[in-house]
């Protein structure tokens, strides 16, 4: 199981690095637009590309954020029930999460396929094929599905779902 754990963690980290790359792309597009206004030149569609990069960063960061315990989790009910009920609720919520992440991944992948099949392009002058920005969303949703399945399998095996810790500090603040 050790090699599988390393592979999954590498997948989550790779998605996070891609998200960081797209965040830098968002910054670059916005800086180019601002600089253009200050120096009296215009680069078309920087707003669209900033939006594409922002969406890619958000979706690609989902799995890494989940594995670090940074997603919002409401534990008010879990704190007031017994151990058996808590386990049942956690398994139920992870099953629901897997179903929702699966639906998101499925429809995102379908959107990429349809955009490519129908040669769907952006409305702007650049004519960007929309399957390219949709691909980042589908990839992020698919990696999130893998992360949700990873957590569900761990729960079903009786393992605790503990967020990763960095420098001996909790990954989230409660």
């Amino acid at each position: 199981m050790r090699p599988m754990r390393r592979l999954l963690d590498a997948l989550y980290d790779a998605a996070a690095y891609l998200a960081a790359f797209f965040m830098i792309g968002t910054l670059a597009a916005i800086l180019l637009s601002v600089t253009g206004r200050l120096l009296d030149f215009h680069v078309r569609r920087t707003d669209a590309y900033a939006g594409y990069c922002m969406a890619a960063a958000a979706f690609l960061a989902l799995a890494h954020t989940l594995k670090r315990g940074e997603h919002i989790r409401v534990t008010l009910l879990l704190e007031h029930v017994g151990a058996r009920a808590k386990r049942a609720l956690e398994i139920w919520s992870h099953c629901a999460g897997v179903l929702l992440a699966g639906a998101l991944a499925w429809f995102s992948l379908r959107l990429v396929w349809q955009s490519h099949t129908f040669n769907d392009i952006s409305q702007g002058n650049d004519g960007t094929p929309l399957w390219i920005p949709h691909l980042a969303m589908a990839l992020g949703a698919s990696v999130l599905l893998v992360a949700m399945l990873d957590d569900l399998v761990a729960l079903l095996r009786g393992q605790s779902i503990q967020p990763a810790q960095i420098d001996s500090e909790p990954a989230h603040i409660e």
Side-chain angles (χ1 to χ4, degrees), residues 7-88:
L7 178 69
L8 289 172
D9 289 341
L11 175 66
Y12 309 142
D13 288 343
Y17 282 119
L18 270 174
F21 171 77
F22 281 109
M23 287 182 80
I24 292 169
T26 303
L27 175 67
I30 291 170
L31 285 177
L32 183 60
S33 178
V34 169
T35 303
R37 271 188 243 128
L38 291 174
L39 300 178
D40 205 27
F41 69 89
H42 178 68
V43 179
R44 291 187 173 133
R45 304 302 294 160
T46 54
D47 56 338
Y49 287 109
Y52 298 152
C53 288
M54 194 179 317
F59 277 93
L60 288 167
L62 286 173
H64 193 266
T65 305
L66 175 72
K67 298 307 280 184
R68 295 291 183 263
E70 297 294 334
H71 283 213
I72 295 173
R73 184 173 175 181
V74 180
T75 59
L76 182 64
L77 181 63
L78 293 177
E79 293 171 354
H80 294 84
V81 296
R84 291 184 73 193
K86 180 179 180 179
R87 177 169 163 71

Side-chain angles (χ1 to χ4, degrees), residues 97-161:
V98 165
L99 288 174
L100 291 172
L104 178 64
W106 170 258
F107 287 109
S108 297
L109 288 166
R110 192 173 121 189
L111 179 63
V112 171
W113 177 76
Q114 287 176 339
S115 295
H116 187 269
T117 301
F118 300 134
N119 295 320
D120 198 11
I121 59 171
S122 69
Q123 298 293 318
N125 293 338
D126 61 334
T128 301
L130 287 179
W131 68 268
I132 297 170
H134 292 164
L135 188 61
M137 180 178 74
L139 180 61
S142 299
V143 176
L144 176 64
L145 174 61
V146 171
M148 291 296 298
L149 283 167
D150 183 13
D151 279 357
L152 178 60
V153 168
L155 272 176
L156 292 174
R157 289 180 153 192
Q159 299 169 347
S160 162
I161 305 295

